[in-house]
Amino acid sequence: MLLGIAAVALIVILIINENGDDGPPAPLSPAELTELLGSWNRGNDAFDHFDFKLAESEFSAVAERLPEEPDVWVNIGIAAMNQDNDGAFQRARRAFETAIKHDPDHRHANHCAGILMKHLGEFDPAEACFRKVLASDPHDPTASYYLGTLMLNKNEAEAEELFKKAIATEPHQQSAIYQLFGLYYSQDKESQAESLVALFKELETAGTGDKAGIVYSEMGHYGSGIRRFPRPLGPEGDRSGGASYSVKSLLGDALAPAAHAPLPWIPWADGTSPAAMVKEKFAPALGGGIAIADVDGDGDLDVWSADGQSAGRLYLNAAGSFSVAPSSWGVQDGAPSISGCFGDYDNDGRPDLYVCCAGPNRLYRNVDGERFEDVTGISRTGGGNVFTTQAVMADLDADGDVDIYCANLADIDAISDGRQRWPSRERPAKNNLFSNDRTGTFTDIAERTGTAGRHLSRGVIAADLDGDRDADIVVLGGSYQPLLVYRNDRIWRFTEQTAASGLANVLADSMSASDLDGDGQPELLVWSGQPGIYANLGRMRFEERQPLDRWPGCVLDADNDGDKDLLTLDNLRLKTPEGWRDEPIASSLHPFTDVRSIVPADMDGDGVLDAVIGRAGNPPAIMRATLDHQDHNWIEIELKGVRETGKMRANTGGIGAR
């Protein structure tokens, strides 16, 4: 049976993918699949706990039944070599050789074999392995680093280029920085060496650099355990049914009819401020953001909704039934709300709320799961009198607490010369990047980090787009101007990668990131603007693969089959072995009306993902899900970030986990 795992807006799925270049593998019975999948998952869990003997035992049990699957042998080899003794090294060698025998070009197998051979002093075989990896993935930073170390005594010029390539791909590759510094120092290139020493020390102080070594977690992308089970789901477990959705009011009362809510351009007279008109006309048309979290700690997911007219409203969930939170919760004052997000900024284990407004934004601290306290002033997170369309709370500097990035549309107090309308492309507001100072205060460092933007900003997402385990940023320009892509280089360094990403000319009002094909890299889905699915080609490069003809929407596993499906207001697009299948949804709500957002979450605890609909000027609605079959398995996971000195430092809410 397949496990579907759902939590808040994060879906963690154990995916059974379609592999098998040598022909379709023999189908396994459900009992056999369950047994092997259990061993596979226990082996990966052992990796996470650095229990390599247990990992080797579990993966060896899988290899007895699937001896021709190279991924199994790679995991056995990784588990063995991390036990750090001669006998284990020889078992690892045999495992990698077996994997390469079945797939000579297997990147993980060649990469790990290269690390082992280098450790054992067998440099020529190691060089051949790393060259094989780089032949298929020329920009892998860890393979470039390792090959560079092998070239130091053979070809210094090639070693220099390899180290530079590793750093260019992964600017926080601390081992490559150190080796290149040493090479420059030996060549009396003092200025180049000094700049690298400064960068090395900064990464060392921050503790955010990546080091390459033979120990697990330092072996690079191709040195991590392979998570995906190597066999497809047999036909016995295939399901033809999907999920049925019914659209209702979140409070269970009559659903407010759909209203046409266009986004206006606001004219102004010469020398006047559009502030009043922005709050009266523009904010109500653009509001409708949704944020979901368990604010009172009762195990049910609660909903906060922006409506563009008021400060927003909190809805408390009691076993799937919602009610408006009493005024004692303290979230009813402030400028018109546009959107919001939850995140535990003070690491006390309770979700705090950041509200984006037509005017100064607000940060609310969750006090004992009983009320919110406005800490905007003391935290210095208001951002000024700007129109903020969206914000994200994410650990952008990998220091274990969440920071805040705000996408700002325009300055509300801008003065016109009589020839322009609001918002003006010529007068965008600068975006904010509030760095968490871990003292209850934040510092805006957008200008210093190069992330203040240069366009009108319609939205923002934060996701690991290049596979280096930190959050990159995409700022949406809406239908006004193209989006911007910022690569996170850690220690508060961001590099704009818009042109190199292949997204330079993309207009996007709404976007989400999700791994649709199960390769561990998130695709980008543009729901409006220039709708389409942009495939992640690796190293922060994207290519449009298929159009999207419906919006707004979200990604979720609607039928608990392990595949990502697409949900919009009037359609469920299920991913099946034969391709996409559309299932229409009867709804009185339609695109191009007042609907502004759709957020998936299991709101009634039945293991099936519902979706909350945010509406501009109207209370939220909900798409209640019912699964057409009852043989699905699911488990709910509450993420808890762990902080251990010298090992890890995760934010308490697990934001950014995958």
Side-chain angles (χ1 to χ4, degrees), residues 334-356:
S337 55
I338 307 303
S339 64
C341 56
F342 283 110
D344 184 10
Y345 83 89
D346 54 359
N347 278 337
D348 66 352
R350 303 181 184 90
D352 308 302
L353 174 63
Y354 190 76
V355 179
C356 304

Side-chain angles (χ1 to χ4, degrees), residues 531-547:
I533 297 177
Y534 293 80
N536 192 329
L537 307 179
R539 313 300 179 197
M540 201 172 277
R541 294 175 295 116
F542 295 86
E543 178 179 270
E544 185 175 7
R545 288 292 171 83
Q546 67 183 86

Side-chain angles (χ1 to χ4, degrees), residues 29-87:
S29 70
E32 290 173 320
L33 180 62
T34 300
E35 178 185 353
L36 294 181
L37 183 59
S39 293
W40 186 266
N41 291 333
R42 287 191 295 273
N44 275 297
D45 181 69
F47 273 152
D48 293 337
H49 290 84
F50 301 93
D51 189 342
F52 300 111
K53 287 185 178 180
L54 176 59
E56 184 179 6
S57 173
E58 294 291 353
F59 290 123
S60 294
V62 179
E64 290 179 4
R65 304 288 300 279
L66 303 175
E68 297 183 357
E69 292 292 346
D71 290 1
V72 182
W73 293 105
V74 168
N75 281 1
I76 291 173
I78 293 173
M81 71 185 291
N82 276 277
Q83 294 174 48
D84 195 20
N85 62 70
D86 291 340

Side-chain angles (χ1 to χ4, degrees), residues 98 107 165 170 235 272 324 363 369 375 385 433 501 568 579 594:
T98 303
R107 293 176 184 174
K165 184 166 67 170
E170 194 172 85
T272 65
V324 177
L363 177 62
V375 293
N385 198 29
L433 199 173
S501 70
T568 58
D594 58 3

Side-chain angles (χ1 to χ4, degrees), residues 169-172 392-397 405 433 451 460-475 484-490 493-497 501 511 513 522 524 536 538-542 656 658:
T169 304
E170 194 172 85
H172 40 80
V392 291
M393 299 181 78
D395 186 2
L396 296 174
D397 57 348
Y405 187 91
L433 199 173
T451 57
V460 59
I461 65 169
D464 181 9
L465 301 178
D466 55 358
D468 65 351
R469 303 182 309 283
D470 54 33
D472 308 297
I473 297 173
V474 180
V475 180
L484 298 173
V485 181
Y486 296 105
R487 184 186 68 192
N488 190 340
D489 293 340
R490 301 187 191 173
R493 286 184 170 89
F494 286 84
T495 303
E496 187 182 333
Q497 295 286 297
S501 70
M511 175 184 284
L524 295 179
N536 192 329
R539 313 300 179 197
M540 201 172 277
R541 294 175 295 116
F542 295 86
R658 64 175 186 175

Side-chain angles (χ1 to χ4, degrees), residues 19-26 68-70 99 101-104:
N19 274 339
D21 295 335
D22 298 326
E68 297 183 357
E69 292 292 346
K101 173 185 175 182
H102 292 301
D103 183 357

